[in-house]
Amino acid sequence: MTVPTITFIGGGNMCEAILSGLLKTSHPQSHIRVSEPFDQRREYLNSKYGVDVFGDNKAAITGEGAKVSAGSPVDVVVLAVKPQVVGTVVRDVAPALLKHKPLVISIVAGVAIKDFARWIHPDGAAGPSDAVPFVRLMPNTPALVGEGAAGMYAEDTVNKEQRAQTEYVVKNIAKEYFWVDKESGIDAVTAISGSGPAYFFLILEAMEKTGVEMGLDRTVAGKLAAQTALGAARMLLTGDDDVETLRRKVTSPNGTTHAAIERMIADKVPEGVSNGVLACRARCVSLADEFGKL
């Protein structure tokens, strides 16, 4: 695979996480462009990373006015904008996408590929030669510290090289990443890992609060809980035991951990977590319906 020229539409935190990861792995500045509507943010990205920045999305795709990346045709466009504005953004850049036909990687939550196609071809007259290849990517916020997890879905028009380009992008922000066979699988990925950090923060918040109530300093309680979560995750990721086996190994009969687990089960904690995950997936489906009307 040749080194792709990548344009980011939206210069927020996730864009920066991917961008910085790419540069750390020797991706050339000459093969990165960023479009960002806010002047201060553009200046920051240009000053810190030395890449071309644009206030116009179409110019970021075509390279018009580029300095560092002049002469580099776009290969990949990463859509990293808010769901509420993505329809307007895609309609605006549709002519540039149709002309250059880059791989488009969307990290916009809740927006289906069929809606991107509708915005690009408002008359519905797209043929095979008019297709713009799309991948949906669902990262999560630990990507900001290089500890992300991600799921990816590619439509049929995405070829082998473009799948490789997607993995090239995602490996810079995710330690674990997987392809799903159906687009609905992205909703499941969102429910497990996309929104998952908040579930763990909720649990850690409760543990920290209880630690304070038991007399620990808040910082001490918080760091003990966070390191315990990190250590438990590493045991699962690096060992051979599955999660149930690991739980049983640390839960001695009639011991302290056993008392805690029994109380949590009695309080239906596992059911609450499961119901929360399912509620997240259901909201993904309803959001797709809402954004599909934009």
Side-chain angles (χ1 to χ4, degrees), residues 156-168:
D156 293 340
T157 54
V158 176
N159 61 37
K160 185 177 180 180
E161 182 178 8
Q162 289 165 335
R163 280 177 172 260
Q165 289 173 337
T166 302
E167 293 180 10
Y168 176 81

Side-chain angles (χ1 to χ4, degrees), residues 177-197:
Y177 52 91
F178 306 93
W179 290 99
V180 295
D181 295 331
K182 298 179 180 179
E183 189 169 6
S184 59
I186 290 294
D187 294 337
V189 170
T190 303
I192 297 295
S193 59
S195 297

Side-chain angles (χ1 to χ4, degrees), residues 36-283:
E36 164 59 40
F38 296 105
D39 295 346
Q40 187 174 3
R41 182 66 177 173
R42 285 200 305 274
E43 292 169 5
Y44 162 79
L45 292 170
N46 176 255
S47 174
K48 183 169 183 177
Y49 298 106
V51 298
D52 277 327
V53 294
F54 300 80
D56 179 82
N57 294 330
K58 294 187 291 295
I61 293 173
T62 64
E64 182 180 353
K67 298 177 181 178
V68 180
S69 61
S72 298
V74 66
D75 299 298
V76 178
V77 172
V78 179
L79 274 175
V81 299
K82 299 294 185 184
Q84 293 82 355
V85 302
V86 67
T88 300
V89 169
V90 173
R91 289 185 185 101
D92 180 58
V93 300
L97 294 178
L98 288 168
K99 179 179 179 180
H100 296 278
K101 291 189 174 59
L103 168 67
V104 179
I105 300 174
S106 169
I107 61 174
V108 184
V111 180
I113 289 176
K114 64 179 177 62
D115 292 313
F116 289 116
R118 176 170 57 83
W119 294 326
I120 292 173
H121 300 282
D123 57 2
S129 62
D130 299 319
V132 175
F134 266 88
V135 165
R136 286 186 64 188
L137 166 63
M138 176 48 61
N140 62 8
T141 53
L144 302 176
V145 294
E147 292 288 346
M152 304 164 288
Y153 169 75
E155 63 173 355
D156 293 340
T157 54
V158 176
N159 61 37
K160 185 177 180 180
E161 182 178 8
Q162 289 165 335
R163 280 177 172 260
Q165 289 173 337
T166 302
E167 293 180 10
Y168 176 81
V169 169
V170 77
K171 72 180 182 181
N172 289 287
I173 57 167
K175 291 287 184 68
E176 300 287 346
Y177 52 91
F178 306 93
W179 290 99
V180 295
D181 295 331
K182 298 179 180 179
E183 189 169 6
S184 59
I186 290 294
D187 294 337
V189 170
T190 303
I192 297 295
S193 59
S195 297
Y199 313 158
F200 290 100
F201 292 146
L202 179 65
I203 292 169
L204 291 172
E205 185 181 358
M207 292 175 70
E208 178 185 292
K209 179 176 180 292
T210 306
V212 171
E213 291 171 354
M214 294 189 297
L216 292 176
D217 176 80
R218 182 173 298 279
T219 299
V220 171
K223 288 187 178 297
L224 285 172
Q227 181 58 44
T228 299
L230 178 62
R234 283 182 175 164
M235 288 178 70
L236 180 59
L237 289 169
T238 61
D240 296 326
D241 290 333
D242 62 27
V243 65
E244 182 179 358
T245 300
L246 286 171
R247 176 176 61 80
R248 292 186 182 281
K249 281 185 175 181
V250 77
T251 309
S252 302
N254 299 315
T256 56
T257 306
H258 183 264
I261 295 298
E262 287 296 298
R263 178 55 190 265
M264 290 179 185
I265 291 174
D267 286 347
K268 300 187 183 301
V269 171
E271 289 91 334
V273 173
S274 179
N275 289 337
V277 171
L278 293 172
C280 179
R281 186 185 66 173
R283 182 56 178 151

